Protein backbone atom coordinates (compact mmCIF):
# COMPACT_ATOMS: atom_id res chain seq x y z
CA UNK A 1 0.00 0.00 0.00
CA UNK A 2 1.46 3.36 -0.97
CA UNK A 3 1.90 6.02 1.69
CA UNK A 4 -0.53 8.91 1.50
CA UNK A 5 -0.24 10.95 4.65
CA UNK A 6 -2.36 14.09 5.01
CA UNK A 7 -0.75 17.56 5.00
CA UNK A 8 0.62 18.97 8.26
CA UNK A 9 -1.01 22.21 9.41
CA UNK A 10 1.39 25.13 10.03
CA UNK A 11 1.79 26.06 13.69
CA UNK A 12 -0.05 29.33 13.25
CA UNK A 13 -3.02 27.45 11.75
CA UNK A 14 -3.06 25.02 14.69
CA UNK A 15 -2.95 27.97 17.12
CA UNK A 16 -6.00 29.48 15.38
CA UNK A 17 -8.15 26.38 15.94
CA UNK A 18 -10.86 26.37 18.64
CA UNK A 19 -9.47 25.41 22.05
CA UNK A 20 -11.08 21.95 22.18
CA UNK A 21 -9.87 21.14 18.67
CA UNK A 22 -6.28 21.85 19.73
CA UNK A 23 -6.49 19.24 22.50
CA UNK A 24 -5.45 16.14 20.56
CA UNK A 25 -5.82 13.87 23.63
CA UNK A 26 -9.24 13.91 25.29
CA UNK A 27 -10.99 11.42 27.53
CA UNK A 28 -14.33 10.12 26.31
CA UNK A 29 -16.40 7.43 27.98
CA UNK A 30 -15.15 4.51 25.89
CA UNK A 31 -11.51 5.56 26.00
CA UNK A 32 -8.74 8.12 25.91
CA UNK A 33 -9.16 9.60 22.47
CA UNK A 34 -6.28 10.56 20.14
CA UNK A 35 -7.23 13.07 17.40
CA UNK A 36 -4.21 14.71 15.83
CA UNK A 37 -5.75 14.29 12.35
CA UNK A 38 -8.92 16.35 11.87
CA UNK A 39 -11.26 16.95 8.98
CA UNK A 40 -13.78 14.75 7.20
CA UNK A 41 -15.56 14.93 3.83
CA UNK A 42 -18.35 12.44 4.63
CA UNK A 43 -20.78 15.20 5.62
CA UNK A 44 -23.05 13.49 8.20
CA UNK A 45 -25.29 16.31 9.44
CA UNK A 46 -25.27 15.05 13.05
CA UNK A 47 -21.46 14.85 13.29
CA UNK A 48 -19.93 15.67 16.67
CA UNK A 49 -17.49 17.97 14.81
CA UNK A 50 -20.15 20.68 15.15
CA UNK A 51 -19.38 20.87 18.87
CA UNK A 52 -15.62 21.25 18.34
CA UNK A 53 -15.83 24.11 15.84
CA UNK A 54 -14.61 21.77 13.09
CA UNK A 55 -17.69 21.27 10.93
CA UNK A 56 -16.18 23.23 8.03
CA UNK A 57 -12.97 21.16 8.12
CA UNK A 58 -13.75 18.84 5.20
CA UNK A 59 -10.18 17.95 4.22
CA UNK A 60 -8.16 15.96 6.77
CA UNK A 61 -5.10 17.75 8.15
CA UNK A 62 -2.58 16.73 10.80
CA UNK A 63 -1.86 18.95 13.79
CA UNK A 64 1.45 17.16 14.47
CA UNK A 65 3.34 14.10 13.34
CA UNK A 66 2.28 10.64 14.51
CA UNK A 67 5.29 10.04 16.75
CA UNK A 68 4.68 13.26 18.66
CA UNK A 69 0.98 12.44 18.97
CA UNK A 70 1.64 8.99 20.41
CA UNK A 71 4.10 10.48 22.90
CA UNK A 72 1.41 12.93 24.02
CA UNK A 73 -0.96 10.02 24.48
CA UNK A 74 1.27 7.64 26.42
CA UNK A 75 2.74 10.42 28.59
CA UNK A 76 -0.69 11.88 29.40
CA UNK A 77 -1.65 11.88 33.07
CA UNK A 78 -4.78 9.88 32.19
CA UNK A 79 -2.92 7.10 30.37
CA UNK A 80 -2.16 3.87 32.22
CA UNK A 81 -0.19 1.23 30.28
CA UNK A 82 -2.19 -1.93 29.57
CA UNK A 83 -5.31 -0.55 31.28
CA UNK A 84 -6.59 2.67 29.70
CA UNK A 85 -8.80 1.99 26.67
CA UNK A 86 -7.76 4.11 23.69
CA UNK A 87 -9.69 5.45 20.71
CA UNK A 88 -8.00 6.69 17.53
CA UNK A 89 -9.53 9.35 15.24
CA UNK A 90 -13.08 9.02 16.58
CA UNK A 91 -13.87 12.73 17.00
CA UNK A 92 -13.03 14.66 13.85
CA UNK A 93 -12.26 12.28 10.99
CA UNK A 94 -12.68 8.68 9.84
CA UNK A 95 -9.58 6.53 10.42
CA UNK A 96 -9.91 4.65 7.13
CA UNK A 97 -10.21 7.65 4.83
CA UNK A 98 -7.51 7.82 2.16
CA UNK A 99 -4.47 9.46 3.74
CA UNK A 100 -5.81 9.12 7.26
CA UNK A 101 -5.40 5.33 7.05
CA UNK A 102 -1.60 5.56 7.07
CA UNK A 103 -1.68 7.74 10.17
CA UNK A 104 -3.92 5.17 11.84
CA UNK A 105 -1.49 2.35 11.19
CA UNK A 106 1.47 4.47 12.24
CA UNK A 107 -0.24 5.00 15.61
CA UNK A 108 -1.31 1.36 16.01
CA UNK A 109 2.12 0.02 15.11
CA UNK A 110 3.84 2.48 17.44
CA UNK A 111 1.60 1.47 20.37
CA UNK A 112 2.01 -2.20 19.53
CA UNK A 113 5.79 -1.87 19.25
CA UNK A 114 5.88 -0.57 22.82
CA UNK A 115 4.41 -3.88 24.00
CA UNK A 116 1.19 -2.20 25.17
CA UNK A 117 -1.86 -4.42 25.54
CA UNK A 118 -4.49 -1.70 25.92
CA UNK A 119 -7.85 -1.88 24.17
CA UNK A 120 -7.76 0.27 21.01
CA UNK A 121 -11.11 1.16 19.47
CA UNK A 122 -11.25 2.17 15.80
CA UNK A 123 -14.63 3.46 14.62
CA UNK A 124 -15.27 3.67 10.88
CA UNK A 125 -17.89 3.84 8.16
CA UNK A 126 -15.30 3.88 5.35
CA UNK A 127 -13.77 1.28 3.07
CA UNK A 128 -11.66 -1.44 4.74
CA UNK A 129 -9.86 -3.87 2.46
CA UNK A 130 -7.96 -7.15 2.76
CA UNK A 131 -4.60 -5.39 3.09
CA UNK A 132 -5.96 -3.45 6.05
CA UNK A 133 -7.06 -6.70 7.68
CA UNK A 134 -3.66 -8.26 7.14
CA UNK A 135 -1.91 -5.25 8.62
CA UNK A 136 -4.24 -5.25 11.63
CA UNK A 137 -3.60 -8.94 12.11
CA UNK A 138 0.14 -8.33 12.24
CA UNK A 139 -0.27 -6.40 15.50
CA UNK A 140 0.86 -8.60 18.39
CA UNK A 141 -0.05 -6.77 21.58
CA UNK A 142 -2.78 -4.11 21.44
CA UNK A 143 -6.36 -5.40 21.51
CA UNK A 144 -7.90 -3.78 18.45
CA UNK A 145 -11.64 -3.59 17.87
CA UNK A 146 -13.10 -2.29 14.61
CA UNK A 147 -16.52 -0.71 15.17
CA UNK A 148 -18.41 -0.36 11.90
CA UNK A 149 -20.89 2.52 12.06
CA UNK A 150 -24.18 1.70 10.34
CA UNK A 151 -27.38 3.72 10.52
CA UNK A 152 -29.47 2.70 7.53
CA UNK A 153 -30.32 6.39 7.00
CA UNK A 154 -31.15 7.01 3.35
CA UNK A 155 -31.83 10.75 3.53
CA UNK A 156 -28.71 12.12 1.85
CA UNK A 157 -29.28 15.55 3.38
CA UNK A 158 -28.51 13.96 6.74
CA UNK A 159 -26.12 11.19 5.77
CA UNK A 160 -24.62 11.47 2.26
CA UNK A 161 -22.21 8.54 2.77
CA UNK A 162 -23.89 5.19 1.94
CA UNK A 163 -24.30 2.81 4.88
CA UNK A 164 -23.62 -0.08 2.51
CA UNK A 165 -19.90 0.74 2.47
CA UNK A 166 -19.61 0.02 6.20
CA UNK A 167 -21.58 -3.19 5.74
CA UNK A 168 -19.23 -4.48 3.04
CA UNK A 169 -16.19 -3.52 5.12
CA UNK A 170 -17.60 -5.26 8.18
CA UNK A 171 -18.40 -8.47 6.33
CA UNK A 172 -14.92 -8.58 4.83
CA UNK A 173 -13.16 -7.83 8.13
CA UNK A 174 -15.20 -10.37 10.08
CA UNK A 175 -14.77 -13.10 7.48
CA UNK A 176 -11.00 -12.57 7.38
CA UNK A 177 -9.32 -15.27 9.37
CA UNK A 178 -7.72 -16.19 11.51
CA UNK A 179 -7.68 -12.76 13.13
CA UNK A 180 -6.61 -11.16 16.42
CA UNK A 181 -8.73 -8.02 16.04
CA UNK A 182 -12.47 -8.05 16.78
CA UNK A 183 -15.45 -6.50 15.00
CA UNK A 184 -18.55 -4.71 16.30
CA UNK A 185 -21.70 -3.76 14.41
CA UNK A 186 -22.05 -0.17 15.64
CA UNK A 187 -25.71 0.56 14.97
CA UNK A 188 -26.08 4.30 15.31
CA UNK A 189 -27.55 6.84 15.46
CA UNK A 190 -31.07 5.48 15.81
CA UNK A 191 -33.59 8.29 15.33
CA UNK A 192 -37.38 7.89 15.56
CA UNK A 193 -39.09 8.61 12.27
CA UNK A 194 -35.85 8.41 10.32
CA UNK A 195 -34.42 4.89 10.51
CA UNK A 196 -36.63 2.98 12.94
CA UNK A 197 -39.27 1.34 10.75
CA UNK A 198 -39.86 -2.40 11.11
CA UNK A 199 -37.88 -2.89 7.89
CA UNK A 200 -34.93 -0.89 9.27
CA UNK A 201 -34.88 -2.93 12.47
CA UNK A 202 -35.16 -6.24 10.63
CA UNK A 203 -32.36 -5.25 8.27
CA UNK A 204 -30.05 -4.36 11.17
CA UNK A 205 -30.88 -7.60 12.99
CA UNK A 206 -29.92 -9.52 9.87
CA UNK A 207 -26.66 -7.59 9.34
CA UNK A 208 -25.57 -8.08 12.93
CA UNK A 209 -24.50 -11.66 12.21
CA UNK A 210 -21.47 -10.22 10.39
CA UNK A 211 -19.76 -9.03 13.55
CA UNK A 212 -18.61 -10.39 16.90
CA UNK A 213 -21.15 -8.23 18.76
CA UNK A 214 -23.67 -5.43 18.22
CA UNK A 215 -24.19 -2.11 20.03
CA UNK A 216 -27.16 0.17 19.47
CA UNK A 217 -27.28 3.80 20.48
CA UNK A 218 -29.03 7.05 19.70
CA UNK A 219 -28.27 10.57 18.63
CA UNK A 220 -26.14 13.21 20.29
CA UNK A 221 -28.43 16.18 19.66
CA UNK A 222 -26.47 19.10 21.02
CA UNK A 223 -27.27 22.79 20.58
CA UNK A 224 -24.73 23.23 17.77
CA UNK A 225 -26.20 20.31 15.83
CA UNK A 226 -29.76 21.56 16.32
CA UNK A 227 -28.69 25.00 15.05
CA UNK A 228 -27.25 23.39 11.92
CA UNK A 229 -30.45 21.40 11.31
CA UNK A 230 -32.60 24.53 11.60
CA UNK A 231 -30.30 26.65 9.42
CA UNK A 232 -30.39 24.05 6.67
CA UNK A 233 -34.07 23.15 6.83
CA UNK A 234 -33.48 19.59 8.01
CA UNK A 235 -36.24 17.73 9.84
CA UNK A 236 -35.59 18.20 13.56
CA UNK A 237 -35.68 14.83 15.35
CA UNK A 238 -36.46 16.24 18.80
CA UNK A 239 -37.99 19.38 20.29
CA UNK A 240 -35.07 19.86 22.67
CA UNK A 241 -31.36 19.10 22.92
CA UNK A 242 -29.51 17.01 25.49
CA UNK A 243 -25.98 16.43 26.76
CA UNK A 244 -26.39 12.66 26.49
CA UNK A 245 -27.43 10.40 23.64
CA UNK A 246 -31.17 10.08 23.07
CA UNK A 247 -32.80 6.65 22.82
CA UNK A 248 -36.54 6.85 23.61
CA UNK A 249 -37.97 4.03 25.72
CA UNK A 250 -40.37 2.75 23.06
CA UNK A 251 -37.58 2.62 20.48
CA UNK A 252 -35.44 0.49 22.76
CA UNK A 253 -38.35 -1.89 23.34
CA UNK A 254 -38.82 -2.33 19.59
CA UNK A 255 -35.10 -2.93 19.06
CA UNK A 256 -34.98 -5.62 21.72
CA UNK A 257 -38.05 -7.28 20.23
CA UNK A 258 -36.53 -7.28 16.73
CA UNK A 259 -33.29 -8.84 17.96
CA UNK A 260 -35.12 -11.42 20.06
CA UNK A 261 -36.32 -12.99 16.81
CA UNK A 262 -32.77 -13.80 15.66
CA UNK A 263 -31.29 -17.33 15.91
CA UNK A 264 -30.08 -18.26 19.39
CA UNK A 265 -26.48 -18.50 18.16
CA UNK A 266 -26.44 -14.95 16.74
CA UNK A 267 -23.81 -12.56 18.16
CA UNK A 268 -25.19 -10.74 21.21
CA UNK A 269 -26.67 -7.26 21.42
CA UNK A 270 -25.40 -4.71 23.97
CA UNK A 271 -26.48 -1.29 25.16
CA UNK A 272 -22.95 -0.05 25.84
CA UNK A 273 -19.88 0.13 23.62
CA UNK A 274 -17.48 -1.07 26.31
CA UNK A 275 -19.69 -4.10 26.98
CA UNK A 276 -19.55 -5.18 23.34
CA UNK A 277 -15.81 -4.53 23.00
CA UNK A 278 -14.99 -6.40 26.20
CA UNK A 279 -17.22 -9.33 25.25
CA UNK A 280 -15.60 -9.60 21.83
CA UNK A 281 -12.19 -10.02 23.48
CA UNK A 282 -13.44 -12.41 26.16
CA UNK A 283 -12.89 -9.90 28.97
CA UNK A 284 -15.06 -8.24 31.64
CA UNK A 285 -16.46 -4.80 30.89
CA UNK A 286 -13.75 -2.22 31.50
CA UNK A 287 -16.40 0.43 32.30
CA UNK A 288 -17.77 -1.67 35.17
CA UNK A 289 -21.43 -1.57 34.14
CA UNK A 290 -22.11 -4.86 35.95
CA UNK A 291 -23.56 -3.15 39.04
CA UNK A 292 -26.25 -1.48 36.89
CA UNK A 293 -28.38 -4.61 36.76
CA UNK A 294 -30.96 -3.34 34.27
CA UNK A 295 -28.17 -2.81 31.74
CA UNK A 296 -27.15 -6.45 31.93
CA UNK A 297 -30.48 -8.15 31.29
CA UNK A 298 -29.65 -8.73 27.61
CA UNK A 299 -26.06 -9.93 28.16
CA UNK A 300 -24.99 -13.57 27.66
CA UNK A 301 -24.84 -15.55 30.90
CA UNK A 302 -21.15 -16.36 30.44
CA UNK A 303 -20.33 -12.68 30.06
CA UNK A 304 -22.33 -11.83 33.17
CA UNK A 305 -20.30 -14.41 35.11
CA UNK A 306 -17.06 -12.91 33.80
CA UNK A 307 -18.10 -9.39 34.82
CA UNK A 308 -19.32 -10.61 38.21
CA UNK A 309 -15.94 -12.18 38.97
CA UNK A 310 -14.18 -8.90 38.14
CA UNK A 311 -16.64 -6.69 40.03
CA UNK A 312 -14.89 -4.96 42.93
CA UNK A 313 -16.50 -2.11 44.85
CA UNK A 314 -13.86 0.51 45.73
CA UNK A 315 -13.87 2.32 49.05
CA UNK A 316 -14.36 6.06 49.30
CA UNK A 317 -10.78 6.33 50.52
CA UNK A 318 -9.43 4.48 47.46
CA UNK A 319 -11.37 6.79 45.16
CA UNK A 320 -10.11 9.90 46.94
CA UNK A 321 -6.52 8.67 46.80
CA UNK A 322 -6.76 7.95 43.06
CA UNK A 323 -8.36 11.35 42.43
CA UNK A 324 -5.55 12.97 44.41
CA UNK A 325 -3.17 12.23 41.54
CA UNK A 326 -5.15 14.67 39.35
CA UNK A 327 -4.92 18.40 40.08
CA UNK A 328 -8.32 18.98 38.46
CA UNK A 329 -9.94 16.39 40.78
CA UNK A 330 -8.64 17.92 44.03
CA UNK A 331 -12.12 19.15 44.91
CA UNK A 332 -13.87 15.82 44.35
CA UNK A 333 -15.96 14.48 47.19
CA UNK A 334 -17.34 10.94 47.41
CA UNK A 335 -20.99 11.05 48.45
CA UNK A 336 -21.60 7.30 48.62
CA UNK A 337 -20.47 4.00 47.14
CA UNK A 338 -22.99 1.23 46.43
CA UNK A 339 -22.92 -1.96 44.38
CA UNK A 340 -24.31 0.07 41.46
CA UNK A 341 -21.89 2.98 41.40
CA UNK A 342 -19.91 5.58 43.29
CA UNK A 343 -21.62 8.95 43.54
CA UNK A 344 -19.21 11.89 43.51
CA UNK A 345 -19.35 15.66 43.24
CA UNK A 346 -16.94 18.53 42.68
CA UNK A 347 -15.42 17.39 39.36
CA UNK A 348 -14.95 20.15 36.75
CA UNK A 349 -15.64 17.89 33.76
CA UNK A 350 -16.31 14.32 32.66
CA UNK A 351 -12.67 13.49 31.94
CA UNK A 352 -11.41 12.75 35.47
CA UNK A 353 -14.57 10.72 36.06
CA UNK A 354 -13.75 8.50 33.10
CA UNK A 355 -10.18 8.14 34.36
CA UNK A 356 -11.41 6.88 37.73
CA UNK A 357 -13.99 4.64 36.10
CA UNK A 358 -11.36 2.86 34.05
CA UNK A 359 -8.90 2.76 36.95
CA UNK A 360 -11.34 0.80 39.09
CA UNK A 361 -13.47 -0.88 36.40
CA UNK A 362 -16.43 0.47 38.34
CA UNK A 363 -19.13 3.01 37.55
CA UNK A 364 -18.46 6.55 38.78
CA UNK A 365 -21.45 8.91 38.58
CA UNK A 366 -21.42 12.68 38.98
CA UNK A 367 -24.23 13.85 41.25
CA UNK A 368 -24.62 16.95 39.07
CA UNK A 369 -25.61 14.72 36.14
CA UNK A 370 -27.48 11.79 37.70
CA UNK A 371 -27.86 8.43 36.01
CA UNK A 372 -31.56 7.60 36.30
CA UNK A 373 -32.60 4.00 36.79
CA UNK A 374 -33.60 2.30 33.51
CA UNK A 375 -32.31 5.25 31.43
CA UNK A 376 -28.94 3.52 30.97
CA UNK A 377 -27.02 6.79 31.15
CA UNK A 378 -29.02 8.33 28.33
CA UNK A 379 -30.95 11.56 27.96
CA UNK A 380 -34.38 11.64 29.59
CA UNK A 381 -36.09 12.65 26.35
CA UNK A 382 -38.59 9.93 25.44
CA UNK A 383 -38.73 8.40 28.93
CA UNK A 384 -41.48 8.74 31.51
CA UNK A 385 -43.21 12.11 31.35
CA UNK A 386 -40.50 13.84 29.30
CA UNK A 387 -41.14 15.15 25.80
CA UNK A 388 -39.61 14.04 22.53
Amino acid sequence: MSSAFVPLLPREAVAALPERARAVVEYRKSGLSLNHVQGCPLGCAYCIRHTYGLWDAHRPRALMNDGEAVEQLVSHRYFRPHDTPVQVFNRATDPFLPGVRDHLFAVLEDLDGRGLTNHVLVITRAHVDVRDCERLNALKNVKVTLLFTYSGIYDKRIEPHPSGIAVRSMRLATAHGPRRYRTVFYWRPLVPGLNDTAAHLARAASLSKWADATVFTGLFYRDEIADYYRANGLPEPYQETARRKIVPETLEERILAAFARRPSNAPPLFRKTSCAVSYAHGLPDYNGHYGINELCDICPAAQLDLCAQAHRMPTARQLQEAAGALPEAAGMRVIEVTERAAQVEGLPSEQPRYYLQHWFGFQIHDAAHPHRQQRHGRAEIGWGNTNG
Side-chain angles (χ1 to χ4, degrees):
M1 183 182 297
S2 61
S3 294
F5 293 96
V6 304
L8 188 65
L9 277 177
R11 288 187 178 181
E12 58 272 18
V14 173
L17 290 171
E19 181 179 0
R20 289 188 69 196
R22 296 196 303 271
V24 300
V25 179
E26 178 190 53
Y27 227 138
R28 308 188 76 187
K29 186 181 178 187
S30 289
L32 194 58
S33 182
L34 181 64
N35 293 282
H36 62 288
V37 175
Q38 302 179 358
C40 182
L42 300 184
C44 304
Y46 50 77
C47 184
I48 199 68
R49 283 185 296 129
H50 286 291
T51 68
Y52 290 89
L54 290 170
W55 173 248
D56 293 328
H58 303 304
R59 300 177 64 188
R61 295 289 186 267
L63 277 63
M64 61 186 66
N65 65 53
D66 300 312
E68 184 181 353
V70 173
E71 281 298 328
Q72 281 205 19
L73 175 70
V74 301
S75 62
H76 199 281
R77 64 187 181 283
Y78 291 148
F79 182 82
R80 300 176 68 230
H82 312 297
D83 290 333
T84 305
V86 171
Q87 299 173 309
V88 183
F89 302 148
N90 70 316
R91 192 185 74 185
T93 192
D94 188 295
F96 281 96
L97 288 174
V100 182
R101 170 188 273 107
D102 282 330
H103 292 276
L104 168 68
F105 280 109
V107 168
L108 294 177
E109 289 161 3
D110 190 335
L111 293 172
D112 195 66
R114 295 168 186 255
L116 295 168
T117 58
N118 302 62
H119 280 289
V120 182
L121 283 64
V122 181
I123 303 170
T124 186
R125 61 176 72 231
H127 178 66
V128 175
D129 62 27
V130 171
R131 292 170 296 178
D132 296 323
C133 297
E134 292 170 347
R135 199 166 176 183
L136 288 166
N137 236 10
L139 301 170
K140 304 296 184 186
N141 300 301
V142 288
K143 294 184 281 289
V144 175
T145 305
L146 299 180
L147 298 99
F148 292 94
T149 296
Y150 169 88
S151 70
I153 293 173
Y154 300 116
D155 188 334
K156 292 188 179 298
R157 297 173 301 166
I158 295 172
E159 189 175 299
H161 189 70
S163 286
I165 293 175
V167 171
R168 290 192 291 274
S169 295
M170 179 176 68
R171 293 183 64 164
L172 183 147
T174 302
H176 187 87
R179 56 185 169 87
R180 288 192 68 255
Y181 63 86
R182 298 293 183 261
T183 62
V184 168
F185 180 48
Y186 213 17
W187 187 20
R188 64 170 195 166
L190 279 152
V191 184
L194 186 61
N195 61 342
D196 69 331
T197 66
H200 280 104
L201 303 190
R203 170 70 171 159
S206 175
L207 292 173
S208 68
K209 67 186 176 184
W210 292 104
D212 297 319
T214 296
V215 179
F216 70 95
T217 191
L219 177 70
F220 266 132
Y221 196 53
R222 301 283 178 80
D223 291 343
E224 298 90 341
I225 298 172
D227 290 344
Y228 178 81
Y229 272 56
R230 295 183 193 115
N232 289 274
L234 299 177
E236 297 177 50
Y238 300 102
Q239 297 173 10
E240 55 188 308
T241 58
R243 63 183 297 277
R244 291 175 173 151
K245 291 179 182 177
I246 306 170
V247 182
E249 185 175 11
T250 53
L251 175 56
E252 172 169 304
E253 291 170 351
R254 295 175 56 231
I255 290 166
L256 297 184
F259 271 67
R261 293 189 285 270
R262 298 185 308 159
S264 59
N265 62 346
L269 175 71
F270 295 94
R271 293 182 173 100
K272 296 294 183 180
T273 301
S274 63
C275 296
V277 169
S278 300
Y279 165 82
H281 288 273
L283 296 168
D285 173 32
Y286 60 78
N287 258 324
H289 287 108
Y290 176 77
I292 316 295
N293 296 328
E294 64 269 23
L295 268 176
C296 306
D297 60 2
I298 60 175
C299 298
Q303 184 65 16
L304 280 174
D305 290 342
L306 195 60
C307 290
Q309 294 169 25
H311 190 63
R312 299 288 185 275
M313 188 169 70
T315 65
R317 181 175 179 177
Q318 288 173 323
L319 290 167
Q320 291 286 181
E321 289 176 348
L326 303 174
E328 65 271 37
M332 188 189 84
R333 187 174 74 86
V334 180
I335 299 173
E336 68 171 349
V337 183
T338 68
E339 285 290 337
R340 286 177 66 87
Q343 297 285 340
V344 304
E345 64 180 5
L347 292 176
S349 71
E350 298 278 44
Q351 297 197 58
R353 182 172 73 84
Y354 298 150
Y355 170 80
L356 294 172
Q357 195 158 274
H358 294 147
W359 177 299
F360 291 98
F362 189 82
Q363 283 282 288
I364 312 293
H365 295 171
D366 191 330
H369 306 291
H371 284 60
R372 307 294 187 193
Q373 195 159 6
Q374 300 297 334
R375 304 286 200 275
H376 312 315
R378 303 176 185 143
E380 296 192 20
I381 296 172
W383 290 80
N385 296 321
T386 56
N387 297 322

